[in-house]
Amino acid sequence: MAKERLSNEINAGSMADIAFLLLIFFLVTTTIDVDKGVLVKLPPWSEEPPETLTLNKRNVFSVLVNADNALLVRGEPAEVGDLRERAREFIRNPENRPDLAEKPEKAIISLRNDRGTKYSTYLEVYNELKAAYRELREDEAQKKYQKSYEFLPRDKKKEINSIIPLVLSEAEPTDFGAE
Amino acid sequence: MSKFNKKRGKSKPAISTASLPDIIFMLLFFFMVVTVMRDSTLKVAVNVPAATELTKLEKKSLVNFLYIGKPQEQYQAQYGTSPRLQLGDKISAIDDIPLFLEEHRAGVPEKQRTGITSSLKVDGDVTMGLVTDIKTELRKANQLKINYSAKVKTE
């Protein structure tokens, strides 16, 4: 009896081993990489066909992608690599050319693809157009506040967004190419 | 120099390991918190394309995943080789999207429902036809915030 009373302390020596075991389990199952992607807001669905707006041709930057993943920008064949630069020039129109957008608020980018277009091409094109807008907003932020757009407070971001609104309209895809 | 020698020669103190479990527990808790267990096994092969304009998806509980790609080899006998949609852990038809979204929405507190994002994990080789149909279905179900999942492009 006396012997039992002496050893009334739990041996905590193996605690570290147990903790290690759990630690290794969580180490193995952990996936730190967070999901990243291109954020898009879809237009709400409506049964009625959309109104036909008559737009000034100079304000529309049409991008067509066919089933062979080739691009047609404003009626001429183009490369994905030039898209960002061309879109920027179109929206900004620094030289006030009569065939480019009147002002950034009026610029509309119209994107249309085929049902046979590869998703990777579509995303690449979308990414380039979004990048053009991001760069323009960045330039605007630098010019106005000498600060990067990322670090601006929310109201100033909104202000810049209203100067350069992202208008990217996606038309119903064509159905020429084989899926 | 003699100062140091004296001390070393006198005693050999053992490093106390009593705090070791605490340190390990600290690490353990860190990993427990950051761990996200994969909740669905992929039945379709998805290799997302790379992009530069990426946004992080912050709140995992507000995100539902739609996988689109070719069925993996062991499922090809059952589902064929053309791209399919996977919701949760089963390959589904496009008509199942509203129910899938509703099930996810039911588990989200009402205040946060406007922040629900659908993450589209689409294989780069899938054609836009299927993707467009899914987008239309999402629009009909009033799920307008979507995220095209992509890798970071390294140039």
Side-chain angles (χ1 to χ4, degrees):
Chain A
M1 283 300 275
K3 217 180 181 187
E4 267 176 48
R5 223 177 278 158
L6 273 173
S7 60
N8 58 357
E9 214 173 283
I10 298 164
N11 181 15
S14 54
M15 191 84 112
D17 302 341
I18 298 166
F20 257 123
L21 216 74
L22 279 166
L23 175 65
I24 288 162
F25 168 71
F26 279 100
L27 261 170
V28 170
T29 53
T30 298
T31 43
I32 301 245
D33 61 329
V34 269
D35 198 26
K36 285 181 189 162
V38 183
L39 204 65
V40 178
K41 202 140 174 43
L42 297 176
W45 177 260
S46 71
E47 291 294 333
E48 304 118 55
E51 290 174 57
T52 42
L53 287 167
T54 40
L55 292 163
N56 197 336
K57 212 178 162 192
R58 65 180 283 194
N59 289 327
V60 181
F61 187 81
S62 67
V63 182
L64 283 104
V65 193
N66 72 0
D68 295 326
N69 304 315
L71 259 69
L72 200 71
V73 177
R74 306 197 99 188
E76 310 155 18
E79 292 292 321
V80 187
D82 307 329
L83 199 58
R84 191 186 298 201
E85 205 41 56
R86 283 200 58 185
R88 277 185 62 171
E89 200 193 351
F90 162 78
I91 300 160
R92 246 311 69 150
N93 197 4
E95 290 154 33
N96 245 328
R97 274 169 52 182
D99 57 334
L100 302 179
E102 280 172 62
K103 46 186 170 178
E105 294 98 309
K106 288 206 172 173
I108 289 174
I109 291 186
S110 159
L111 177 60
R112 189 169 200 183
N113 56 273
D114 193 86
R115 287 182 70 89
T117 306
K118 243 168 79 173
Y119 173 73
S120 54
T121 313
Y122 166 79
L123 196 69
E124 205 181 344
V125 169
Y126 202 103
N127 185 58
E128 286 305 302
L129 295 173
K130 222 180 156 187
Y133 272 105
R134 186 189 42 83
E135 283 176 9
L136 284 171
R137 283 178 179 175
E138 180 66 40
D139 289 351
E140 193 70 27
Q142 289 289 356
K143 207 169 77 187
K144 260 195 141 146
Y145 303 109
Q146 289 81 44
K147 249 184 176 175
S148 177
Y149 177 78
E150 241 182 291
F151 302 116
L152 285 178
R154 190 172 281 195
D155 56 321
K156 284 183 181 155
K157 267 189 190 173
K158 265 198 177 152
E159 190 193 324
I160 286 175
N161 290 0
S162 66
I163 298 172
I164 302 165
L166 202 161
V167 190
L168 215 163
S169 130
E170 279 184 72
E172 276 294 304
T174 53
D175 196 4
F176 300 128
E179 273 184 46
Chain B
M1 280 308 279
S2 58
K3 260 187 194 172
F4 297 104
N5 287 338
K6 256 185 216 165
K7 266 188 185 170
R8 212 175 276 164
K10 263 182 186 169
S11 61
K12 288 179 195 165
I15 299 167
S16 165
T17 54
S19 56
L20 197 61
D22 301 341
I23 297 164
I24 303 303
F25 266 118
M26 219 156 69
L27 278 168
L28 175 65
F29 287 138
F30 169 72
F31 279 100
M32 275 175 77
V33 169
V34 298
T35 295
V36 186
M37 290 201 211
R38 181 163 242 155
D39 48 357
S40 49
T41 46
L42 278 178
K43 288 188 176 170
V44 293
V46 173
N47 185 16
V48 294
T52 52
E53 306 305 302
L54 299 174
T55 320
K56 266 188 204 168
L57 285 178
E58 298 286 351
K59 278 214 147 189
K60 275 269 163 157
S61 61
L62 295 180
V63 182
N64 48 48
F65 293 96
L66 287 85
Y67 303 94
I68 304 157
K70 277 184 186 166
Q72 273 170 5
E73 256 173 55
Q74 64 264 43
Y75 299 107
Q76 280 183 358
Q78 200 178 348
Y79 299 110
T81 51
S82 56
R84 295 294 300 267
L85 167 72
Q86 180 183 344
L87 299 170
D89 50 9
K90 56 180 185 289
I91 290 181
S92 325
I94 293 173
D95 303 339
D96 299 332
I97 292 177
L99 188 69
F100 171 75
L101 292 174
E102 202 44 58
E103 273 171 7
H104 176 247
R105 213 169 280 176
V108 175
E110 212 157 340
K111 272 187 185 167
Q112 298 178 351
R113 285 193 189 162
T114 47
I116 293 179
T117 313
S118 283
S119 177
L120 267 70
K121 289 187 176 267
V122 188
D123 191 85
D125 289 329
V126 173
T127 50
M128 281 308 287
L130 181 63
V131 181
T132 309
D133 292 343
I134 287 162
K135 265 162 70 184
T136 310
E137 200 61 39
L138 286 170
R139 280 171 64 195
K140 280 182 183 166
N142 208 23
Q143 170 59 53
L144 304 176
K145 251 180 106 175
I146 63 164
N147 186 60
Y148 296 122
S149 191
K151 285 182 287 203
V152 182
K153 198 181 222 169
T154 43
E155 275 156 83

